[in-house]
Amino acid sequence: MISVLIADDEQPAIDELAFLLGQDPRVGVIHQAASGAEAIRLITREPVDAAFLDIHMPGLTGFDLARALQRFERRPALVFVTADEEGALEAFDLAAVDYLLKPVRTERLQRSVTRIVEALKAGASSPGAGTASSAPQPEVIAVTLGGTTRMLRRDEVRYVQAQGDYARLHTEEASYLVRVPMADLERQWADAFVRIHRSYLVAVPHLTRIRLGTEHPSVTVGAAELPVSRRLLPALRERLEHATIRPRP
């Protein structure tokens, strides 16, 4: 069971979130703080596994508090809880595990707890680990769909499709348009993604079928069959060799 902190200057918001978290059997102790300063004092006395932070608090904002917590030896996983969609990119820069919009839905909160638990397990399995600060945080990117902003983990993305100055990230369940040029993603995600076409980047771990020795070479990612350009074939073959994946004839 994980211990959590809720920091919000509005008591009804604390009560509601505490009630929802209390329904999750993975959550144990729930601490409460009505300000950023109070949250720091509490975490100094009793370290927690995760902190659910409101952004707009008087004095220390949620972002200020998150920066202060980065100096702690044992840093909790961060989840921002707010009515403001505009802060998602800053939350991403602060390596937040998730970004929840008020009012918080039960099923959405459960996904946040799952992310926290996964991060803690990853940290516990690493050499010398044992604290929340040592847990490797998966790379995430802020995305919006239907007016809801969330933090999408990079390992959820199966392939990326260029759309002008934007990029569309395709996952198993949905696709998200982000204001990031695909060339930037190609450079930043080069360790896990490979360019196969001027319009597509694919996540090598998600490849399920590879056909390169045909008139129209292609790869399959999930249910999508994507074209491979002749110009990029040599680089793709080399990448697959290093990944110990053998293309089918």
Side-chain angles (χ1 to χ4, degrees), residues 78 88-99 115 137-143 150-157 169 178 185 188-189:
L78 300 177
L89 291 179
E90 188 167 355
F92 167 58
D93 290 339
L94 290 168
V97 172
D98 211 345
Y99 190 89
R115 292 183 178 190
Q137 298 294 327
E139 186 173 347
V140 295
I141 185 170
V143 297
R150 60 167 290 203
M151 306 303 289
L152 181 70
R153 285 172 31 162
R154 187 184 74 165
D155 57 17
E156 295 179 64
V157 180
L169 311 181
V178 295
L185 290 178
Q188 296 169 15
W189 292 358

